[in-house]
Amino acid sequence: MSEENPNPRHVGIILDGNGRWARARGLKRSEGHKAGGEALDRLLDQFLDLRIPYISLYAFSTENWKRPKMEIQAIWSLMREFFSSRLERCLEKGIRVHASGDLSRLPAVNRKLILEVIEKTEHNRNLTANFCVNYGSQDEILIAATKVLHRRLDLAKKDKKKAAALISKSELEKELFTYPLPPVDLMVRPGGEQRLSNFLLWQSAYAELYFTDTLWPDFNKRNLMTALKWFKSRPRKFGGLLESQD
Ligand code: IPE
Ligand code: IPE
Ligand code: MG
């Protein structure tokens, strides 16, 4: 019998199913997003209890701009409410806030608030909560590659050979929005869909993928414990062999 994996260090969660949760109750989609925010509050406490140090939360994708203006505005307004009312809690509980995504397209108030929370929580170490807002993995990789390219163009003025060398993984990773977070060990998607929807494609190269039909606002401690139990039982080989296969 192979040994169980320890708890994951970094869990990614695609917060999906808010709209269907609301529709099932005859509520507006924005009510679903509100309930999603409440589920998130509960989950952060569970992560602190479990001492899992990194969590990445997919809150708004680069593709979500296709949604009706009204829904997008409701999301920004809920996000403002979330960050302004949670700062004290983050400080009390030692949560460090990190953000991934192009924040320049967000309403100025939201951007300012997120940057303020990041700054005020930067010395916290109990849990890093990476909020992925206006995030798309393909854009992230293109932006990172462009930054490396600019540096190489500068370098080419001094050393053409070095400038033409293959880009290393660590060189690119330093430019990703998620830097310095470690790779994702466990990716959880509530809401019944079985796809990544442009979330952490690079960082999830060897993540275990866990899908559940439970809608995000209903996702609770029991769902999380089931996902972790499943994760612990997965044979993680990273392309090698397990000792029992030698
Ligand atoms: C995810 O829930 C939240 C965001 C994309 C902001 P959805 O709004 O996608 O919920 P469903 O998938 O329509 O149920
Ligand atoms: C993924 O959910 C994005 C977020 C949860 C922020 P979507 O509902 O946007 O994804 P698709 O459209 O089902 O792939
Ligand atoms: Mg959805």
Side-chain angles (χ1 to χ4, degrees):
M1 251 299 269
S2 56
E3 272 190 26
E4 278 197 334
N5 300 312
N7 263 341
R9 282 183 77 210
H10 186 180
V11 178
I13 306 194
I14 300 176
L15 311 178
D16 195 25
N18 297 349
R20 280 163 285 165
W21 183 93
R23 195 176 55 209
R25 287 162 181 76
L27 300 170
K28 287 191 284 187
R29 292 182 60 86
S30 58
E31 293 291 331
H33 296 313
K34 185 162 181 260
E38 285 156 15
L40 182 55
D41 257 347
R42 297 191 292 269
L43 192 85
L44 289 177
D45 283 341
Q46 285 146 22
F47 269 71
L48 282 164
D49 287 349
L50 290 160
R51 296 178 190 277
I52 294 176
Y54 299 96
I55 179 172
S56 284
L57 304 152
Y58 205 10
F60 191 90
S61 77
T62 45
E63 287 71 34
N64 288 148
W65 293 104
K66 293 174 193 158
R67 299 202 178 188
K69 245 193 177 149
M70 279 261 287
E71 177 170 354
I72 297 176
Q73 274 165 2
I75 292 173
W76 298 143
S77 152
L78 284 164
M79 224 177 257
R80 277 197 292 281
E81 214 276 310
F82 186 88
F83 281 111
S84 50
S85 61
R86 301 314 190 279
L87 175 61
E88 280 310 310
R89 283 191 54 192
C90 287
L91 291 172
E92 245 169 56
K93 297 187 173 186
I95 300 176
R96 177 182 194 175
V97 172
H98 182 101
S100 293
D102 176 6
L103 300 186
S104 70
R105 208 176 154 186
L106 263 56
V109 212
N110 285 58
R111 190 168 57 245
K112 196 165 158 264
L113 196 56
I114 295 180
L115 293 175
E116 192 186 315
V117 176
I118 291 174
E119 197 193 310
K120 292 209 167 123
T121 61
E122 75 179 332
H123 299 298
N124 289 349
R125 286 292 176 269
N126 292 346
L127 168 66
T128 297
N130 173 32
F131 287 85
C132 301
V133 187
N134 190 22
Y135 175 88
S137 210
Q138 292 180 332
D139 274 7
E140 174 185 44
I141 294 167
L142 294 175
I143 292 167
T146 307
K147 285 186 178 163
V148 174
L149 173 70
H150 286 167
R151 243 187 292 111
R152 292 292 182 103
L153 288 172
D154 258 358
L155 183 61
K157 292 175 200 157
K158 288 181 248 154
D159 188 335
K160 274 203 173 140
K161 208 170 156 202
K162 267 195 187 161
L166 190 70
I167 297 173
S168 70
K169 272 195 213 168
S170 66
E171 199 177 358
L172 189 96
E173 280 170 354
K174 279 196 186 111
E175 304 300 344
L176 296 177
F177 290 131
T178 51
Y179 184 79
L181 273 71
V184 174
D185 300 301
L186 170 64
M187 177 63 78
V188 176
R189 181 165 191 156
E193 305 298 352
Q194 302 201 358
R195 56 177 168 255
L196 292 175
S197 302
N198 203 10
F199 189 44
L200 302 178
L201 304 182
W202 176 284
Q203 298 85 340
S204 298
Y206 261 103
E208 303 296 327
L209 309 180
Y210 182 83
F211 300 102
T212 167
D213 288 337
T214 303
L215 302 173
W216 169 247
D218 290 328
F219 194 91
N220 59 22
K221 186 168 183 182
R222 198 164 44 84
N223 297 108
L224 176 64
M225 297 318 285
T226 307
L228 290 175
K229 189 166 174 234
W230 174 85
F231 172 83
K232 287 184 180 182
S233 73
R234 302 304 303 152
R236 300 196 84 198
K237 304 195 293 291
F238 300 95
L241 296 176
L242 292 175
E243 266 174 43
S244 56
Q245 294 175 300
D246 279 348

